[in-house]
Amino acid sequence: MKTLSFAAFALGTFLLGFFLLFGKGAAVSGSWKYVLRTSDDSFYWASAQASAEIPSSAGNPYYYEERGKKHTIPYPTVSFFGALSAWLGFPVLAFFPLWHVGMPFLVWLTLFLCLHRIWKYPEGPSAALALFFLLSTLYLRDVSHYALLRFSRPGDSLWLLFIWVSGTLNWTASWRHTVWLCLLGAASFWMNPFLAAMGVAVTAIETARSLPSRHWPSLRQHLFSLGAVFAAAVLYFLFIKWNSPGGASSVHVLETDYTLGGPKAEPSSLVLFLLAAALIACRRWFFRDAWTALDRLLLALTGLIAVCGNAGLLVPGNWQLVYHRYNYFAELAYHRYAFMTFEIAVLAGWFHQTLPQFRERPWFQKIEK
């Protein structure tokens, strides 16, 4: 009963937020078209509409001359809304309210249930904090608020990542668990390879951890999960190849980074990773504790953020790739907003686990403030 009450409150919050953010503009203009916030929103909703046409023109919906051109990269959610629109006979933007209320509710529900059912946190705080973690992204600078407001990524795949990572770090010896992890890994990669990198990093760390002890049940489970992701990746890149002009990839080598003026170092993400590593090392040294699941998750997350922020420096110039006018490695830094909710939740969980240990020490009580 409590769960239903929490769900009703969260749904009401997102519904109220939707009308406050979009309702007045739509009422004044008479159309959802005039409340689209970014060029990305405009393009992907237009692509959904174009994918409902025969032939599909989702790849470039703005030019009649390019009718029949499909997306080179798969966008399952965009295609789904286009197909649903064609099947029901509704205009695509009729689903705009459903998306902007239903998507954040699904992400909240998944995060809440992962915290309560898998990580075993109390029900009330799990529900409240899951809502706080999501809504807090709306008040962050730059593009971080896209996590809740952009169609269609990352909302359509973030909920899969919550379940996948939580299930990987809270291991149980069953074939059903293994099958679910394989399905979650493959679906996550197909929906959003960038977000799936987080799941791959966590699974790789858990695999390496199982090797020295020769714990074959957990090792087998993690290897199967990685194998499912690899199979999804092969199919993903075959899809790109088949849908590229002339059957060849439209990705080519970048000679000069003309989008950002050349790769630049990003010290802040490196400092974050080193600080996280130092804090974890201090906790283990002071208390002689083993690695916890949140230790490993925090290291994987901050390490991945640092790699994405400095990928342009890590990859040789003649290996850097562009698609249309975008440098893939520069785009990695930009799209880290997709991890923001995950990052806030992991940091909160780690401090919740760790600070009570430090507070038992007299020297920490003196410097706590």
Side-chain angles (χ1 to χ4, degrees):
M1 193 62 187
K2 276 187 178 181
T3 300
L4 290 176
S5 301
F6 295 143
F9 180 82
L11 184 60
T13 301
F14 292 125
L15 192 62
L16 177 63
F18 171 79
F19 282 112
L20 290 174
L21 189 62
F22 297 110
K24 186 175 181 179
V28 171
S29 66
S31 172
W32 296 115
K33 293 179 181 179
Y34 302 105
V35 296
L36 300 180
R37 303 176 64 260
T38 67
S39 58
D40 274 350
D41 281 338
S42 175
F43 177 76
Y44 289 114
W45 281 110
S47 293
Q49 179 65 54
S51 68
E53 300 172 356
I54 300 175
S56 171
S57 304
N60 194 335
Y62 302 122
Y63 294 92
Y64 180 82
E65 294 79 6
E66 297 201 29
R67 282 180 61 82
K69 182 178 179 181
K70 298 180 180 180
H71 273 303
T72 303
I73 297 173
Y75 291 101
T77 306
V78 172
S79 300
F80 169 77
F81 276 101
L84 194 61
S85 169
W87 182 54
L88 295 176
F90 293 156
V92 162
L93 282 178
F95 300 104
F96 186 88
L98 175 65
W99 171 261
H100 281 288
V101 176
M103 179 275 292
F105 177 73
L106 175 62
V107 175
W108 169 84
L109 182 64
T110 308
L111 179 55
F112 159 50
L113 291 177
C114 283
L115 291 174
H116 179 51
R117 298 288 180 84
I118 301 179
W119 291 93
K120 306 302 181 184
Y121 291 116
E123 187 176 20
S126 296
L129 285 172
L131 190 60
F132 171 76
F133 296 151
L134 287 172
L135 296 181
S136 63
T137 61
L138 298 174
Y139 297 93
L140 298 176
R141 294 179 59 190
D142 201 35
V143 297
S144 296
H145 56 275
Y146 283 11
L148 277 187
L149 298 180
R150 186 189 182 203
F151 174 78
S152 61
R153 296 175 173 178
D156 59 356
S157 47
L158 191 58
W159 64 280
L160 287 168
L161 183 67
F162 290 149
I163 306 173
W164 181 19
V165 169
S166 298
T168 299
L169 287 166
N170 293 272
W171 176 82
T172 58
S174 75
W175 277 104
R176 181 179 297 178
H177 194 103
T178 302
V179 170
W180 273 111
L181 288 182
C182 291
L183 291 174
L184 287 165
S188 296
F189 190 95
W190 192 262
M191 295 292 287
N192 191 334
F194 180 65
L195 268 181
M198 181 71 239
V200 171
V202 169
T203 307
I205 287 175
E206 294 302 284
T207 304
R209 180 169 166 266
S210 300
L211 278 171
S213 61
R214 298 292 195 275
H215 193 262
W216 297 115
S218 62
L219 185 59
R220 184 170 54 244
Q221 188 174 90
H222 300 321
L223 289 175
F224 272 121
S225 180
L226 290 174
V229 176
F230 178 76
V234 171
L235 292 175
Y236 190 92
F237 289 110
L238 285 175
F239 180 96
I240 293 175
K241 182 177 177 60
W242 290 333
N243 287 279
S244 296
S249 175
S250 57
V251 174
H252 57 278
V253 173
L254 179 68
E255 295 179 2
T256 57
D257 184 351
Y258 49 88
T259 59
L260 295 176
K264 300 179 181 67
E266 189 194 59
S268 59
S269 59
L270 294 173
V271 169
L272 177 64
F273 171 68
L274 293 175
L275 180 60
L279 287 171
I280 291 169
C282 285
R283 188 194 65 77
R284 294 195 65 203
W285 185 76
F286 278 119
F287 304 106
R288 299 295 188 265
D289 280 352
W291 290 94
T292 67
L294 282 171
D295 285 341
R296 302 192 297 275
L297 183 52
L298 182 59
L299 276 180
L301 177 61
T302 55
L304 183 61
I305 288 171
V307 168
C308 291
N310 296 276
L313 297 175
L314 298 173
V315 179
N318 59 343
W319 283 20
Q320 295 195 29
L321 308 174
V322 295
Y323 174 74
H324 293 311
R325 62 185 178 86
Y326 298 109
N327 177 354
Y328 273 125
F329 295 100
E331 288 285 287
L332 292 180
Y334 176 82
H335 281 86
R336 283 172 303 167
Y337 71 83
F339 293 121
M340 190 58 67
T341 303
F342 205 88
E343 187 175 355
I344 295 169
V346 171
L347 286 168
W350 191 84
F351 281 113
H352 172 75
Q353 178 189 72
T354 304
L355 283 179
Q357 291 180 296
F358 278 102
R359 293 193 70 196
E360 295 173 358
R361 299 298 175 102
W363 62 264
F364 186 79
Q365 295 175 17
K366 294 178 182 179
I367 66 169
E368 184 175 4
K369 290 185 181 179

